[in-house]
Amino acid sequence: MNVVLLDQLPTDREATEQFTQERIVLCSLPYRQSSQRFMQYFIERRYHLYLHWLNPGYFDSSQTPIFDTLGFITQCTTTRSVIGIRNGKLPAKNRVKEMRTFIYDWAKARNLIRRKARSRNQIVRIL
């Protein structure tokens, strides 16, 4: 299946060109107002959002979770979405495994898996 991994937010023009045919887009968004416009792009195109909100984040000085003052959760609930709040200070291994399993199951249910494999773990490694 086609999966796009972003390491930065694209401009509106780049997003329009890059995501027209893509079914799965993986990206990390900073918790700031400008990220809402990027999320709205995918909401308007009826993408299913699967979010891991790392709260507190790895570089946050405090262990205390912050409340969603920017309204991301409200924005995401206007479309098909799954939102999980995770502790960003814990090792990423379990979060990554959870995301891989979710993506695999989501793609399999929509017949998007292109390659046959002997086991689920082989396909998940491809992602």
Side-chain angles (χ1 to χ4, degrees):
M1 77 188 114
N2 291 338
V3 177
V4 174
L5 177 62
L6 300 177
D7 58 357
Q8 64 182 17
L9 299 179
T11 64
D12 289 339
R13 181 172 167 246
E14 288 172 334
T16 303
E17 292 172 358
Q18 189 170 5
F19 305 125
T20 334
Q21 302 299 320
E22 304 306 336
R23 297 297 300 262
I24 298 175
V25 178
L26 303 175
C27 62
S28 175
L29 300 175
Y31 190 73
R32 60 179 183 225
Q33 196 73 37
S34 60
S35 296
Q36 285 184 314
R37 196 174 89 219
F38 185 72
M39 284 180 25
Q40 192 60 36
Y41 174 90
F42 291 102
I43 290 170
E44 289 171 359
R45 283 150 186 84
R46 301 181 47 83
Y47 275 75
H48 180 117
L49 303 179
Y50 177 71
L51 303 153
H52 273 201
W53 179 12
L54 301 183
N55 188 5
Y58 184 78
F59 292 107
D60 291 350
S61 59
S62 170
Q63 289 284 357
T64 307
I66 60 169
F67 185 72
D68 183 18
T69 57
L70 296 177
F72 283 137
I73 292 174
T74 302
Q75 182 182 20
C76 291
T77 58
T78 63
T79 189
R80 298 168 296 172
S81 62
V82 174
I83 303 167
I85 300 174
R86 306 292 187 268
N87 185 336
K89 295 191 180 291
L90 296 177
K93 183 179 180 178
N94 289 337
R95 288 193 314 270
V96 170
K97 182 178 178 182
E98 181 182 348
M99 285 187 258
R100 285 179 171 169
T101 299
F102 181 88
I103 292 168
Y104 172 81
D105 290 344
W106 183 91
K108 184 176 179 186
R110 288 157 181 79
N111 294 318
L112 296 175
I113 305 295
R114 287 192 212 160
R115 176 178 161 189
K116 293 201 180 232
R118 293 183 191 139
S119 73
R120 168 189 234 164
N121 289 335
Q122 286 178 314
I123 294 175
V124 169
R125 272 189 243 118
I126 294 168
L127 297 175

